Amino acid sequence: MIKQLLGKIPRKSSKSAGNGENGRKNGKNSKAVANTVSKGSNFGVDSYIGYERFNNQPGSDSGQNNGTMISMKHQNGNLGLYSYEVLPGFKDVPNSQKESLFFRKLKLCSIVFDFTDPVKHVKEKEIKRQTLLELVDYVTSANGKFSEAVVQEVVKMVSVNMFRTPSPQPRENKVVDGVDLEEEEPTMDLAWPHLQIVYEVFLRFVASSETDVKLTKKYIDQAFVLKLLDLIDSEDPREREYLKTILHRIYGKFMVHRPFIRKSINNVFYQFVFETEKHNGIAELLEILGSIINGFALPLKEEHKMFLVRALIPLHKPRCLAMYHQPLSYCITQFVEKDCKLADVVIRGLLKYWPVTNSSKEVMFLNELEEVLEATQSQEFQRCMVPLFHQIARCLSSSHFQVAERALFLWNNDPIENLIRQNQKVILPILFPALERNARNHWNQAVRSLTINVRKIFEDLDPELFNDCLLKFQETEKKEDETKARWEARWRRLEEMGAQKTAGNYNTTACFPWKPF
């Protein structure tokens, strides 16, 4: 009956009819796609490559469409249509449908938008942002164990958002003496409004007590961990901070991955030290290792000691040490506090990489040396004190006042002063020439004052030893003066002989002038 009534209504023009037909086709496509997604088709994250927005066709009723049609391109090259629309909240559906809705929201968040154009897909970006926030709340408040399908879908969603191919940024080492010549702002990811919430979802998922390690380790596997380690080289410090926290949580929760994570971090350090000297995430990796080393059981395994010798100590070599020295120093000190016998290895390693012309780096080495010496026992100190105080004597003689001043500050540390007192008969003869020259001739008043104070400490401890060192220094100084006088006399004789020879040549030329033929 209705069809008969509709048949009597006069039809619109052919153009309108065409548009109406397109609208009906779009409606059918939208329903077909919605059905496909709800059944869990190949619209998974792993097959997603790109997207394209389809505007409403002319003549279609935009009021009947709650979202935007988006084309999703798959690895097989086919295109599918997806209606990007606001899904109901978790509070609006019964508990039996929440997991299904969670799947749909994960698939909705698996579409990555282009943030290079701020006016493009504004509505869809906001829908995704709100959906991601809902996912954060759902994961945080979960009351039951996540099923394997949920784990797989979460890992797919975060993978497609996090493991992207960033636009390459030209990087040059613009660091001299540990200071940036051009203090440029770090490159910030334009997609961070979405990316930050994705990281928050994943962090809470990993940290959740409802995440089953046995199920999850199949999807958060070694390949996944390697991709996280690649990401930590990001230019964006906000992203590196999230990655640091996530990697630390994975290390703590997935015990099966611990050896692999340590080995992979080693490889990053080897490449950085011996090949590129370019990496943005060394400080973050060292912060992770600081807490890992703190949890090492005693006695330390040989693997951990080799990690100290082969990976951590060589990190003192790059000229950009200032970027990560604080967490590196903490890791080194943790090893010495765990096993005091490693103090000799650490100190000799510092001496091996001690800078020669980089004064600011020398100050950092002296800061670290003080922390290591605080944890050093007398027996280990005696093994390395001779080469150590030869280097300290060179620091005392430095014309850079900060280096000399920092070396003299070692005597303000009570544990270090006690070690020096116990071994002063070996140490004072090494240091005395540098102390005496500083007290007499150093250009900086503060350095001269500190030197006189240290000199007084030694004199009060053992006046006889101090006087012996003074006599030897005076004898050595006298011999040096005599040697210097002999060399000056030789140079004067050579200058006189040269002057006489020049005068003789001049007289000969005057007596026998050259005449042309």
Side-chain angles (χ1 to χ4, degrees):
M1 190 70 181
I2 295 174
K3 290 182 179 179
Q4 292 177 358
L5 291 173
L6 291 174
K8 295 178 181 179
I9 298 174
R11 295 187 178 184
K12 296 181 181 180
S13 63
S14 59
K15 184 176 180 180
S16 301
N19 290 340
E21 185 179 354
N22 288 336
R24 287 192 295 274
K25 288 182 180 179
N26 287 340
K28 291 179 181 179
N29 287 337
S30 178
K31 290 178 182 178
V33 171
N35 292 333
T36 307
V37 172
S38 64
K39 292 178 182 178
S41 69
N42 289 332
F43 273 37
V45 177
D46 53 348
S47 64
Y48 165 75
I49 296 177
Y51 69 90
E52 180 181 355
R53 176 175 174 173
F54 284 80
N55 294 323
N56 293 328
Q57 298 292 335
S60 63
D61 188 1
S62 59
Q64 300 298 322
N65 191 4
N66 294 328
T68 304
M69 299 304 296
I70 291 182
S71 169
M72 294 181 64
K73 186 178 180 181
H74 298 264
Q75 290 177 347
N76 58 13
N78 297 330
L79 288 174
L81 294 178
Y82 181 66
S83 179
Y84 205 90
E85 58 186 7
V86 180
L87 295 173
F90 288 105
K91 296 180 180 179
D92 301 330
V93 298
N95 291 335
S96 59
Q97 298 180 15
K98 284 186 178 181
E99 185 170 319
S100 175
L101 181 60
F102 184 54
F103 270 94
R104 293 176 63 194
K105 288 182 181 290
L106 286 171
K107 290 182 182 295
L108 193 74
C109 295
S110 299
I111 298 176
V112 181
F113 292 99
D114 182 11
F115 278 81
T116 56
D117 187 352
V119 298
K120 190 176 181 181
H121 304 301
V122 176
K123 178 184 175 182
E124 291 80 8
K125 289 174 183 176
E126 181 59 23
I127 292 174
K128 180 178 177 180
R129 192 183 71 84
Q130 293 294 338
T131 306
L132 284 169
L133 291 173
E134 291 178 17
L135 293 180
V136 172
D137 294 336
Y138 181 84
V139 172
T140 305
S141 60
N143 294 324
K145 292 289 183 181
F146 294 116
S147 65
E148 184 172 358
V150 169
V151 171
Q152 183 179 10
E153 203 63 34
V154 169
V155 173
K156 284 182 179 180
M157 188 276 289
V158 299
S159 296
V160 77
N161 281 278
M162 288 163 46
F163 303 146
R164 65 230 183 264
T165 304
S167 56
Q169 299 288 338
R171 287 194 301 177
E172 300 177 0
N173 281 345
K174 298 179 180 179
V175 180
V176 177
D177 290 350
V179 179
D180 285 331
L181 292 181
E182 297 179 8
E183 296 183 358
E184 298 178 353
E185 291 293 327
T187 304
M188 300 299 185
D189 198 317
L190 296 175
W192 187 247
H194 285 181
L195 199 57
Q196 179 184 11
I197 313 175
V198 171
Y199 274 114
E200 191 65 33
V201 170
F202 188 53
L203 175 59
R204 299 199 183 199
F205 175 77
V206 172
S208 175
S209 58
E210 306 300 337
T211 302
D212 191 337
V213 175
K214 292 183 180 179
L215 287 177
T216 311
K217 70 181 181 182
K218 293 194 297 185
Y219 303 100
I220 301 179
D221 54 6
Q222 293 183 357
F224 188 91
V225 171
L226 278 178
K227 290 179 180 179
L228 288 178
L229 286 171
D230 290 339
L231 275 180
I232 210 167
D233 191 20
S234 169
E235 297 270 348
D236 195 327
R238 303 168 299 182
E239 184 172 14
R240 296 200 302 269
E241 191 66 23
Y242 263 105
L243 286 164
K244 177 189 73 175
T245 308
I246 289 171
L247 279 167
H248 188 231
R249 292 300 183 101
I250 291 175
Y251 184 91
K253 195 160 191 173
F254 299 84
M255 297 183 67
V256 67
H257 291 331
R258 288 184 179 183
F260 178 77
I261 292 174
R262 291 197 301 267
K263 183 179 178 181
S264 300
I265 292 176
N266 281 5
N267 293 336
V268 172
F269 288 163
Y270 294 152
Q271 186 177 24
F272 171 70
V273 173
F274 301 110
E275 294 180 13
T276 64
E277 289 196 10
K278 297 177 183 178
H279 199 285
N280 294 309
I282 298 298
E284 285 77 12
L285 291 175
L286 286 168
E287 288 176 20
I288 296 171
L289 286 170
S291 58
I292 292 174
I293 295 167
N294 193 30
F296 281 164
L298 296 177
L300 290 175
K301 297 179 180 179
E302 194 63 28
E303 170 200 350
H304 302 330
K305 295 179 183 179
M306 295 307 296
F307 166 69
L308 168 68
V309 174
R310 295 181 178 178
L312 288 185
I313 292 178
L315 280 172
H316 292 85
K317 177 185 175 184
R319 58 177 181 171
C320 56
L321 175 66
M323 297 171 60
Y324 56 84
H325 181 256
Q326 185 175 355
L328 174 61
S329 178
Y330 177 76
C331 291
I332 295 286
T333 308
Q334 285 288 310
F335 267 105
V336 178
E337 290 177 354
K338 288 277 184 181
D339 186 354
C340 60
K341 294 181 180 178
L342 293 173
D344 177 49
V345 175
V346 169
I347 291 173
R348 291 182 183 274
L350 288 175
L351 296 176
K352 177 181 178 181
Y353 294 106
W354 200 278
V356 177
T357 58
N358 192 328
S359 300
S360 61
K361 199 173 176 181
E362 273 194 281
V363 173
M364 287 187 282
F365 271 59
L366 288 165
N367 290 334
E368 184 175 351
L369 179 64
E370 181 175 3
E371 294 180 5
V372 172
L373 287 174
E374 283 182 355
T376 303
Q377 302 297 320
S378 179
Q379 187 176 0
E380 304 303 322
F381 179 78
Q382 290 173 359
R383 292 181 182 178
C384 59
M385 62 182 178
V386 173
L388 171 62
F389 278 89
H390 275 293
Q391 182 59 57
I392 291 176
R394 286 191 285 271
C395 292
L396 293 174
S397 302
S398 174
S399 58
H400 196 292
F401 80 96
Q402 289 180 337
V403 175
E405 188 177 56
R406 187 64 189 85
L408 289 164
F409 281 156
L410 292 174
W411 274 263
N412 292 340
N413 191 301
D414 292 337
I416 298 174
E417 187 179 356
N418 290 334
L419 291 172
I420 295 173
R421 287 171 183 265
Q422 296 169 13
N423 302 277
Q424 61 174 331
K425 291 184 178 179
V426 177
I427 294 172
L428 181 57
I430 297 173
L431 293 180
F432 193 87
L435 292 172
E436 196 67 21
R437 292 191 184 98
N438 267 9
R440 294 181 185 178
N441 304 319
H442 201 282
W443 64 271
N444 187 270
Q445 179 61 42
V447 172
R448 285 203 304 273
S449 301
L450 289 169
T451 303
I452 292 170
N453 293 338
V454 172
R455 191 172 175 274
K456 187 71 168 57
I457 291 172
F458 281 113
E459 186 176 7
D460 294 341
L461 283 174
D462 194 339
E464 185 178 351
L465 176 63
F466 185 86
N467 291 330
D468 290 342
C469 291
L470 180 60
L471 289 174
K472 288 181 182 179
F473 175 76
Q474 291 173 348
E475 290 175 2
T476 303
E477 200 174 36
K478 185 178 179 181
K479 289 179 181 179
E480 289 176 353
D481 291 340
E482 292 174 355
T483 304
K484 185 178 179 180
R486 284 199 302 271
W487 279 107
E488 288 178 352
R490 287 183 183 180
W491 278 111
R492 280 197 300 271
R493 286 201 300 273
L494 288 171
E495 289 173 357
E496 290 172 0
M497 291 171 63
Q500 291 175 3
K501 189 173 182 181
T502 304
N505 291 339
Y506 175 77
N507 291 336
T508 304
T509 304
C511 295
F512 303 98
W514 176 80
K515 294 181 181 180
F517 292 103

